[in-house]
Amino acid sequence: MGKSSKDKRDIYYRLAKENGYRARSAFKLLQINEHFNIFKDVRNVVDLCAAPGSWSQVLSQQLIKEGDQDPPKIIAVDLQAMAPLPGVIQYQGDITKTSTAEKIISHFQGGLADLVVCDGAPDVTGLHDMDEYIQAQLLLAALNITTHILRTGGTFVAKIFRGKDITLLYAQLKLFFKTVTCSKPRSSRNSSVEAFVVCQNYSPPEGYVPSMVNPMMDLSYNETNPLVGPNRMIVPFIACGDLEGFDSDMTYPLPVLPDGSEYQSLEPHQAPIAPPYQTFLDLKRSNFFNKGV
Ligand code: SAM
């Protein structure tokens, strides 16, 4: 496909070039802000998974006013190197690492971020289930690092794939934010499962201690990684009942009664009142299946 044919087919691709943006995704953040006003009163902002940098461009243009002696801080992080942008502090790193969180915080002089945005995407494999799973993992990694760097009351915006497990992600986000909205900017293609969660009013569960431990992956919990209290994300598995008792997978012979007589099988105490297989039972009783109908 030639450049001009893409210009015709994709208006945001064309507009991005006309407006000097490095990627068409700039319009997604602009449109999210149009609706949710997420840039209001922002002093510290973090752009996770920022390369090539169109979201950082938007942040820089919208937040930094000419001649401002003390402009807002914008930190951009990505695995990939990114060409410099005015007013944007760049850090090449992995958002799943504690060291990245520490690096970011070191720029805020004791403060925390008012806004964290994440347009992160892993390399797409084309296998939908796999892509959705990896995207969900990246979103959780972004949420994880966000719990280290976002102030109470702050906002988190992140890319999400609207797959079948999305309600689980919503439930996880709702533990940390008072309001969670799924938003589809006009510039995000209708044909794409991509959307953005806008999570407002950060309020972690009482006693929550930010940790980079991923309970699905990291198998060692110790004094430094204690998954207890509100930090515990794994549903505990408890075996109960006498371990010496009957094993439900075993077969046991019928007992011989004390008087030596054969064991008589008992009727169930309460048969189902209206089982879904009732019609079948009625037909069977009427010998329907033997009539050769
Ligand atoms: N928002 C960007 C913009 O407007 O230019 C586009 C982001 S691009 C769709 C997704 C980015 O996520 C890639 O640059 C990729 O390197 C980054 N990424 C994926 N996994 C990451 C990770 N674990 N840590 C940091 N960046 C990551």
Side-chain angles (χ1 to χ4, degrees):
M1 179 171 55
K3 245 198 266 174
S4 62
S5 116
K6 191 161 179 189
D7 282 342
K8 270 191 243 157
R9 286 197 326 132
D10 186 342
I11 178 73
Y12 288 104
Y13 168 78
R14 195 171 88 208
L15 287 176
K17 290 187 292 177
E18 286 172 13
N19 288 275
Y21 290 124
R22 293 177 180 183
R24 66 191 294 294
S25 19
F27 295 102
K28 299 174 193 170
L29 187 60
L30 284 166
Q31 288 165 356
I32 290 169
N33 182 54
E34 263 170 38
H35 190 92
F36 294 92
N37 202 13
I38 55 173
F39 297 155
K40 188 168 184 279
D41 299 332
V42 164
R43 296 286 312 156
N44 292 331
V45 53
V46 181
D47 184 6
L48 298 172
C49 304
S54 77
W55 278 27
S56 289
Q57 284 181 291
V58 169
L59 292 168
S60 162
Q61 288 168 1
Q62 298 279 320
L63 297 176
I64 301 178
K65 305 281 169 269
E66 220 182 298
D68 193 345
Q69 296 304 304
D70 182 22
K73 284 235 158 62
I74 304 168
I75 321 272
V77 180
D78 202 287
L79 287 172
Q80 323 267 353
M82 208 169 102
L85 279 170
V88 178
I89 301 165
Q90 292 180 26
Y91 176 63
Q92 194 174 349
D94 185 342
I95 65 158
T96 65
K97 297 272 188 298
T98 316
S99 54
T100 305
E102 285 160 358
K103 191 86 188 175
I104 295 169
I105 293 169
S106 72
H107 289 286
F108 293 149
Q109 288 139 352
L112 288 168
D114 305 299
L115 170 68
V116 177
V117 294
C118 176
D119 187 27
D123 291 337
V124 172
T125 65
L127 302 168
H128 293 308
D129 285 351
M130 177 73 97
D131 290 336
E132 269 167 42
Y133 175 78
I134 301 173
Q135 182 65 34
Q137 291 303 306
L138 195 60
L139 172 67
L140 290 176
L143 171 65
N144 231 351
I145 195 168
T146 296
T147 64
H148 287 72
I149 58 182
L150 188 64
R151 70 163 168 80
T152 303
T155 305
F156 171 57
V157 175
K159 195 208 293 281
I160 194 168
F161 283 177
R162 287 169 304 147
K164 57 185 179 321
D165 294 329
I166 198 168
T167 43
L168 174 62
L169 286 172
Y170 289 156
Q172 286 166 308
L173 292 164
K174 274 292 279 176
L175 288 175
F176 291 89
F177 294 89
K178 291 253 162 69
T179 312
V180 175
T181 312
C182 183
S183 158
K184 177 87 175 168
R186 193 121 175 89
S187 48
S188 173
R189 292 186 185 90
N190 276 333
S191 54
S192 160
V193 287
E194 171 193 84
F196 294 85
V197 275
V198 180
C199 309
Q200 292 164 299
N201 207 348
Y202 177 57
S203 46
E206 212 181 313
Y208 177 79
V209 182
S211 155
M212 286 308 228
V213 174
N214 181 342
M216 309 294 277
M217 316 266 284
D218 302 334
L219 298 174
S220 56
Y221 311 122
N222 50 37
E223 305 78 53
T224 47
N225 288 334
L227 284 180
V228 292
N231 272 36
R232 187 168 187 99
M233 283 175 270
I234 297 173
V235 175
F237 178 85
I238 293 176
C240 55
D242 184 359
L243 292 180
E244 300 296 316
F246 290 122
D247 179 339
S248 52
D249 288 318
M250 284 270 293
T251 308
Y252 296 93
L254 292 175
V256 176
L257 297 179
D259 63 359
S261 59
E262 206 178 299
Y263 180 84
Q264 295 296 312
S265 191
L266 304 173
E267 285 301 313
H269 278 288
Q270 174 64 66
I273 304 170
Y277 44 85
Q278 187 62 54
T279 310
F280 170 80
L281 292 181
D282 294 343
L283 290 172
K284 195 172 170 211
R285 254 180 231 124
S286 67
N287 212 16
F288 176 83
F289 298 111
N290 293 331
K291 286 181 190 158
V293 187

